[in-house]
Amino acid sequence: MNRHPGFIAALSLVLMLPAARSWADPSAPADAKPLPGTTYDLSAESLTGLGLQAMDKPNDNGTGIMLTWPRQGWEAPNALYQVLMGDDLAERLDALVDLKVIDAARRDELLGQLGAGPGQKRLFWVQETLASERPKEGSAVAPPMPLRSDYPAVFGFKKENDGYHAIEMIKFKRDDLVLHIDRETNDETRKLVKEVEARGLVNQIVPLGEGETTKVDLKQFSDAPKHDRTYYFALQRVEAGVVTGRSEIASAVPKDNWFAWHKLNLLIAMFVLGIIIMAFAWIARRNPTGLFIRRIGGLEAVDEALGRAAEMGKPVFFCHGPGDLSAVVTISAINLLGKIAERVGEYGIRMKVTCLDYLVMQVSQEMVRDAYTRVGRPDAYNDDDVFFVTGDTFAYSAAVSGMMMREKAGTAFFFGRFGSESLLLSETGAVTKAIQIAGTDSFNQIPFFITTCDYTLIAEEMYAASAYLSREPRLVGAVKGQDVVKAIMMTIIVVGAVLVTFGFMGFAHLFWPLTN
Amino acid sequence: MRFFKFYLPISLAFAMAILGITSVFVPHHYSDNFQKETVVWFRVLGGVTMFIGAYSLLKVHFNRIRRQQKGWGYSALLYAFFITVITCAIVNYDTATGKSKGPLEARNMATKDGVNWIFNAIQRPASATQYSLLGFFICSAAYRTFRAKTVEAAVLLVAALIVMLGQVPLSATISGAIPWMSNWLLNWPNMAVKRAILFGICVGSVGTSLRVMFGIERSYMGGD
């Protein structure tokens, strides 16, 4: 049979290509032996069936890949799994991370030594940690390999999930980094450079100019998978430092998702709760007299406290906490400020509003100005009475305490989110014999306020304060709706606790992240 | 005018709330980008209002000095430090290199300059002093609260003593039951109450957010 000479030449070229490629790439000798933690030639190894599967992580923004494979019979405390990754089907995959297998009992023992409780999520270092940061032998906790059952939002609650390992690849080392660093700066930096070089984390290290320094965090040498790009993975087992088996290559493409289906139950619950609250607001609007709201001592005492300050001719202090406007409790505090400012305007007292945040100060100025105008006392407003003190909490507490002592505050309100300054402020107020009313959702500070203040609004009472003081039917209705929601949730908790106690988990799983 | 005072703020609050809620349920990178962008906008707004805050602070203290109100010396001190720190930051003199880098050159906490010296030598010890006052204040507040005048105060006193004793190693030598009781009090009754409060906070936050979102709560706009 005659063949065309061109065909034979083309066939020869195709057959010669692999050899030519091997000749052109001196770094890939045909007899290269794989070593743990180094790159190697996959084609030189025989594949073993570790059953590796790679999949796009569902319900994410296209930057997560899940790897899963069955647990192996050979797993022992000294054995390692090593994950290899590449972003094209070249012959080389980079070693990504080493995963040490230890059993749960050993894990809990090690965690106990570190003072941590069993089952803590800190074990998922694989998600956040590079190969270079893996725990050193004997110096830190070596994590047990996570299982599919650790990711119920992806794999559900099936019993067989315990028979599979699963890891989430959301970060890996970058291959395009140039580290600019001054090698002579100090011991710490020199140590870091050594480690970076040893791990091969960057392509190039460029010394900085004289006198220039930079701080380097090893975590920055990582990158997340890019969406719509194919990644290839392989898994190999390493025993006593020797590679003894390898999986076939698995691939996955991280995809963007338009809806987080595992949060569908949350969305439904949110709608139901929202509808209940809004329904009660609507009912209250139609029947304003039919709703009862329990007496809140702290709010009942506002008038008494202001009246006392008016009688004594002493100023009122309204102290915001360090929370900014993104905190709901700060918004509640500002709402409350408006109501209190109205009363202050009516009584003709002087009120000082101290702020730790510029935006809170701006909104507070508007609130107080509007409140004074509403009660016909626009002349009582003074910009200097609603002012920014400082952004530092201790400087704030020192400044406000000083003012309270010098001006002998008659009444002090502490509303908002507070930290350790709560006791510094309220104890100073107690020394000046001021009537003090506090309200916060920072539950660690609530005991301090209860101890030092005359009245304390505990958490949710703060949110109801605006409705309580204004008695506006729709606001009161919404508060009533919140109470109904709480009653429903308490019922669910009690029913769920009873069912779980008797081993019926299905009801509880309705409130966990759902699986696809 | 009503448009700017009423409809515009409510519409903006509603639109931003919907976008915020949507971003929780839409994991797409567009949603991520939106969240990152809003954080930047928030920072920009914060940066602008920082000047307003500084202006407010300086104005208040200027008036105190002008009127020679009680404690006006502190206001003068504030001005002195304000000017000193601003000057140090503008000059940006690094003692390690002996060079002045000017206001546009970046500085960090490792630089040996005037701002860092003031921070380390004055502000940090002052803050630590203020913080250390807490120890004394806790004692005085505890003394007032723990006087066993009522049954509740007596129960509180006993519980507090057990918890405090349980935190020191000495308690284990007295009796092994003390650390156990301390842990039991913290992990069960205390945790149950904390969670109940947290539970109320969460529902209250949702309720307040809904009230603001749908324009039922309008106090923040001046109660219109």
Side-chain angles (χ1 to χ4, degrees):
Chain A
M1 193 167 59
N2 286 332
R3 293 277 186 190
H4 193 279
F7 171 76
I8 293 171
L11 186 65
S12 309
L13 270 175
V14 169
L15 290 172
M16 284 167 68
L17 262 177
R21 185 180 171 134
S22 161
W23 171 77
D25 183 4
S27 63
D31 59 348
K33 289 289 177 196
L35 291 168
T38 62
T39 58
Y40 59 92
D41 187 352
L42 261 185
S43 62
E45 289 293 323
S46 60
L47 301 180
T48 53
L50 290 176
L52 177 71
Q53 286 177 287
M55 60 186 277
D56 168 37
K57 190 188 172 204
N59 305 318
D60 74 344
N61 59 353
T63 55
I65 294 172
M66 298 296 306
L67 299 181
T68 176
W69 64 97
R71 292 173 81 170
Q72 308 290 319
W74 53 267
E75 289 179 1
N78 288 327
L80 289 176
Y81 281 116
Q82 192 170 54
V83 177
L84 313 166
M85 194 198 78
D87 57 1
D88 59 36
L89 250 188
E91 291 179 355
R92 301 169 82 90
L93 294 180
D94 286 332
L96 185 61
V97 66
D98 289 349
L99 307 165
K100 187 167 183 173
V101 180
I102 61 170
D103 60 24
R106 174 72 180 139
R107 179 264 317 266
D108 290 345
E109 186 190 329
L110 288 167
L111 279 175
Q113 287 169 11
L114 290 179
Q120 290 200 1
K121 288 291 177 189
R122 61 193 287 179
L123 301 172
F124 288 85
W125 60 278
V126 171
Q127 297 174 16
E128 301 292 343
T129 314
L130 302 174
S132 61
E133 293 172 311
R134 62 177 172 256
K136 289 180 177 61
E137 196 75 41
S139 65
V141 172
M145 282 297 303
L147 303 173
R148 277 188 184 181
S149 44
D150 292 317
Y151 298 94
V154 179
F155 299 106
F157 296 95
K158 295 169 200 157
K159 274 192 174 173
E160 57 264 32
N161 282 350
D162 283 341
Y164 290 85
H165 289 300
I167 57 168
E168 185 184 2
M169 310 304 298
I170 57 171
K171 278 192 176 176
F172 47 81
K173 75 178 187 187
R174 290 177 57 162
D175 56 1
D176 57 349
L177 277 167
V178 176
L179 171 64
H180 295 268
I181 201 162
D182 179 4
R183 291 163 188 251
E184 305 305 322
T185 309
N186 55 41
D187 287 344
E188 197 183 330
T189 314
R190 276 196 292 275
K191 202 170 136 193
L192 184 70
V193 171
K194 249 185 187 175
E195 182 165 359
V196 166
E197 281 177 325
R199 302 283 181 191
L201 282 172
V202 289
N203 294 344
Q204 197 185 355
I205 298 180
V206 179
L208 288 172
E210 193 188 331
E212 289 177 312
T213 58
T214 183
K215 273 206 160 185
V216 182
D217 177 6
L218 271 180
K219 281 183 184 165
Q220 69 181 276
F221 297 107
S222 65
D223 205 353
K226 307 276 185 300
H227 45 84
D228 295 329
R229 186 168 167 180
T230 308
Y231 291 93
Y232 301 92
F233 297 91
L235 184 74
Q236 66 182 14
R237 70 172 181 230
V238 183
E239 291 169 289
V242 178
V243 176
T244 55
R246 180 158 329 133
S247 77
E248 59 280 10
I249 292 178
S251 67
V253 183
K255 292 272 184 197
D256 265 322
N257 291 280
W258 283 104
F259 186 72
W261 288 101
H262 67 301
K263 292 181 182 169
L264 183 64
N265 50 0
L266 182 64
L267 184 66
I268 292 170
M270 204 185 78
F271 266 111
V272 171
L273 303 186
I275 287 168
I276 291 171
I277 292 173
M278 297 311 291
F280 269 85
W282 182 76
I283 291 167
R285 193 182 180 189
R286 292 175 67 89
N287 181 18
T289 55
L291 291 171
F292 167 76
I293 190 166
R294 76 176 166 83
R295 190 177 168 275
I296 300 175
L299 297 174
E300 290 286 325
V302 167
D303 278 339
E304 178 201 332
L306 293 177
R308 183 170 174 269
E311 280 172 12
M312 298 173 76
K314 289 182 173 178
V316 173
F317 276 78
F318 188 104
C319 306
H320 282 293
D324 61 18
L325 278 178
S326 61
V328 179
V329 71
T330 309
I331 295 172
S332 292
I334 287 169
N335 289 336
L336 207 48
L337 171 64
K339 304 294 174 202
I340 291 172
E342 280 180 13
R343 306 276 211 281
V344 166
E346 284 167 3
Y347 293 161
I349 328 165
R350 189 172 185 203
M351 180 168 74
K352 291 202 162 187
V353 183
T354 56
C355 306
L356 250 160
D357 184 275
Y358 330 114
L359 280 171
V360 172
M361 181 203 78
Q362 279 287 291
V363 181
S364 297
Q365 283 182 340
E366 288 293 317
M367 289 297 293
V368 175
R369 185 187 294 129
D370 283 355
Y372 285 171
T373 307
R374 276 200 301 280
V375 295
R377 291 290 315 278
D379 55 301
Y381 177 73
N382 181 357
D383 248 358
D384 289 356
D385 287 344
V386 186
F387 57 99
F388 170 74
V389 180
T390 168
D392 182 272
T393 51
F394 290 118
Y396 176 81
S397 55
V400 176
S401 298
M403 279 188 275
M404 285 168 84
M405 289 296 281
R406 283 193 298 275
E407 300 179 27
K408 301 285 176 219
T411 300
F413 296 103
F414 305 105
F415 289 128
R417 181 159 290 170
F418 283 88
S420 52
E421 68 284 346
S422 64
L423 187 62
L424 295 172
L425 292 170
S426 55
E427 189 65 4
T428 307
V431 170
T432 65
K433 310 281 185 207
I435 289 191
Q436 301 193 98
I437 301 176
T440 183
D441 68 349
S442 318
F443 54 64
N444 286 329
Q445 306 306 321
I446 289 172
F448 293 133
F449 277 140
I450 289 177
T451 308
T452 49
C453 294
D454 298 279
Y455 300 95
T456 304
L457 304 183
I458 298 173
E460 60 182 318
E461 290 177 339
M462 267 293 286
Y463 302 123
S466 178
Y468 191 90
L469 288 177
S470 69
R471 297 284 171 179
E472 209 272 306
R474 287 199 303 169
L475 287 177
V476 176
V479 171
K480 201 77 192 164
Q482 279 172 227
D483 288 346
V484 173
V485 166
K486 269 187 284 179
I488 293 171
M489 289 176 130
M490 280 191 276
T491 310
I492 289 172
I493 288 171
V494 171
V495 171
V498 170
L499 289 175
V500 168
T501 305
F502 288 102
F504 299 104
M505 297 299 292
F507 183 73
H509 288 164
L510 285 177
F511 300 92
W512 284 56
L514 300 175
T515 44
N516 284 343
Chain B
M1 195 60 190
R2 186 162 170 77
F3 173 77
F4 288 106
K5 283 282 283 181
F6 182 76
Y7 293 112
L8 184 63
I10 282 192
S11 310
L12 278 176
F14 184 78
M16 289 309 290
I18 291 290
L19 283 170
I21 292 169
T22 306
S23 65
V24 174
F25 294 99
V26 177
H28 202 278
H29 72 274
Y30 289 155
S31 170
D32 279 355
N33 293 345
F34 167 75
Q35 279 181 319
K36 284 174 192 159
E37 200 66 25
T38 47
V39 169
V40 171
W41 274 91
F42 201 73
R43 278 191 201 149
V44 170
L45 269 176
V48 171
T49 50
M50 187 186 77
F51 289 103
I52 300 171
Y55 169 73
S56 158
L57 181 73
L58 293 175
K59 187 165 153 269
V60 167
H61 288 278
F62 177 76
N63 286 336
R64 273 195 199 153
I65 296 169
R66 190 165 57 92
R67 292 177 194 144
Q68 301 216 332
Q69 286 177 350
K70 197 176 176 185
W72 68 271
Y74 298 115
S75 301
L77 205 60
L78 179 133
Y79 262 90
F81 271 99
F82 186 84
I83 292 165
T84 309
V85 173
I86 287 272
T87 309
C88 287
I90 289 172
V91 173
N92 205 355
Y93 180 79
D94 189 343
T95 53
T97 58
K99 286 178 186 168
S100 179
K101 293 193 275 187
L104 298 179
E105 195 70 39
R107 48 176 303 283
N108 58 46
M109 293 307 290
T111 317
K112 287 179 179 168
D113 63 3
V115 177
N116 279 343
W117 185 84
I118 290 170
F119 178 76
N120 288 322
I122 299 175
Q123 190 182 341
R124 194 181 271 183
S127 289
T129 307
Q130 186 74 8
Y131 187 64
S132 64
L133 285 177
L134 269 177
F136 300 99
F137 281 11
I138 286 175
C139 288
S140 65
Y143 173 72
R144 278 206 306 276
T145 310
F146 294 163
R147 276 180 296 183
K149 286 181 176 174
T150 60
V151 178
E152 290 91 341
V155 171
L156 190 65
L157 174 64
V158 172
L161 279 176
I162 292 170
V163 171
M164 283 194 287
L165 263 178
Q167 303 304 309
V168 291
L170 182 69
S171 64
T173 59
I174 299 169
S175 165
I178 295 175
W180 182 87
M181 280 159 66
S182 169
N183 281 335
W184 185 85
L185 282 169
L186 286 174
N187 292 338
W188 298 100
N190 177 57
M191 188 58 74
V193 173
K194 267 189 173 179
R195 288 201 177 146
I197 292 173
L198 197 62
F199 189 66
I201 289 170
C202 294
V203 177
S205 296
V206 171
T208 308
S209 304
L210 282 171
R211 293 203 301 264
V212 171
M213 189 177 155
F214 288 102
I216 296 174
E217 177 75 81
R218 297 196 296 271
S219 322
Y220 71 98
M221 298 192 306
D224 194 357

